[in-house]
Amino acid sequence: AQSVSQHNHHVILSEAASLELGCNYSYGGTVNLFWYVQYPGQHLQLLLKYFSGDPLVKGIKGFEAEFIKSKFSFNLRKPSVQWSDTAEYFCAVNARTPDKLIFGTGTRLQVFP
Amino acid sequence: GAVVSQHPSWVICKSGTSVKIECRSLDFQATTMFWYRQFPKQSLMLMATSNEGSKATYEQGVEKDKFLINHASLTLSTLTVTSAHPEDSSFYICSASADTNTGELFFGEGSRLTVL
């Protein structure tokens, strides 16, 4: 069965610091990959997605992620975080067969001014 | 982006009663909707896949008689928590796919259930 692991459970950064959140999945076939964000008190929103093409994908609010097939990874990055990036970040994988989205455990990011 | 709406957003009920949560896709049709459960400070756990016009597919460990799912139209799926108990208290989130090519999901606002 497919699974998703996020190694960083809680990350604390100062504003302007660089961010990288790890995401690894276990599935040998074709996958579609997603990063979702959940701001305090709000519902899940899509940050970015990968399903084919350039393995470096850019999302909203300056986030990007790189799909490395050989490492089964899809790490999220941002060169300079802001206080408003404080949120919970979820990596998710859809192996398409069956067609369902499986989430990682999430990473709580706190950014201090 | 596509909009998914859930109702109610907050419900409190007595132990033993049943609660129905609605999930609607407002600007697109969804043959498939997904129901997730989120415990505090934890990730989303897929409960079941709701298929329009047919029976839902439940994940392992999810009681189908406890969590009744009905997907009667292309824009509405309902989750009914039957004979609710305090351990059913949780945040329930529905989602739907507007793009079957990518598997991207759009999420509802979630429904917080508290069983007294």
Side-chain angles (χ1 to χ4, degrees):
Chain A
Q2 55 181 303
S3 66
V4 184
S5 60
Q6 291 180 241
H7 314 296
N8 317 101
H9 298 293
H10 190 187
V11 174
I12 301 173
L13 295 173
S14 299
E15 275 193 318
S18 64
L19 170 73
E20 180 159 2
L21 301 182
C23 172
N24 287 89
Y25 64 93
S26 64
Y27 185 72
T30 302
V31 293
N32 293 348
L33 300 158
F34 306 83
W35 275 97
Y36 283 87
V37 61
Q38 188 173 32
Y39 296 104
Q42 298 186 27
H43 61 93
L44 283 163
Q45 301 172 41
L46 181 69
L47 264 183
L48 47 78
K49 61 187 176 185
Y50 170 83
F51 49 93
S52 67
D54 189 343
L56 182 63
V57 292
K58 295 189 183 299
I60 61 172
K61 304 186 180 185
F63 286 91
E64 65 177 32
E66 184 175 13
F67 170 49
I68 303 180
K69 189 175 182 179
S70 61
K71 295 185 178 180
F72 299 92
S73 69
F74 190 55
N75 292 355
L76 180 71
R77 299 193 292 249
K78 185 170 184 178
S80 176
V81 295
Q82 300 173 309
W83 175 79
S84 57
D85 293 324
T86 294
E88 189 91 20
Y89 292 82
F90 295 95
C91 179
V93 175
N94 189 336
R96 307 315 307 275
T97 53
D99 190 7
K100 58 184 179 181
L101 198 60
I102 303 299
F103 283 84
T105 50
T107 298
R108 184 181 173 209
L109 172 66
Q110 280 185 293
V111 180
F112 289 96
Chain B
V3 179
V4 175
S5 177
Q6 269 182 254
H7 178 80
S9 56
W10 193 286
V11 57
I12 301 173
C13 70
K14 293 182 179 180
S15 187
T17 61
S18 295
V19 174
K20 180 186 284 187
I21 301 170
E22 293 186 346
C23 177
R24 294 180 185 274
S25 56
L26 297 186
D27 51 1
F28 66 101
Q29 293 182 328
T31 55
T32 304
M33 291 184 174
F34 302 87
W35 286 95
Y36 289 84
R37 185 173 179 177
Q38 187 179 28
F39 291 100
K41 300 187 185 302
Q42 294 188 33
S43 187
L44 285 79
M45 181 193 77
L46 180 64
M47 298 176 64
T49 302
S50 171
N51 304 297
E52 188 267 336
S54 64
K55 292 182 179 180
T57 304
Y58 290 81
E59 295 299 302
Q60 191 173 11
V62 178
E63 299 177 61
K64 58 182 67 177
D65 295 330
K66 158 71 84 175
F67 300 101
L68 300 179
I69 291 173
N70 183 274
H71 195 156
S73 77
L74 288 172
T75 59
L76 174 64
S77 175
T78 60
L79 167 69
T80 301
V81 183
T82 63
S83 187
H85 291 285
E87 58 264 31
D88 298 325
S89 298
S90 189
F91 197 55
Y92 294 88
I93 306 172
C94 77
S95 63
S97 176
D99 183 350
T100 55
N101 290 323
T102 66
E104 176 186 351
L105 296 183
F106 294 89
F107 288 83
E109 309 93 325
S111 299
R112 183 165 299 284
L113 170 63
T114 301
V115 184
L116 303 176

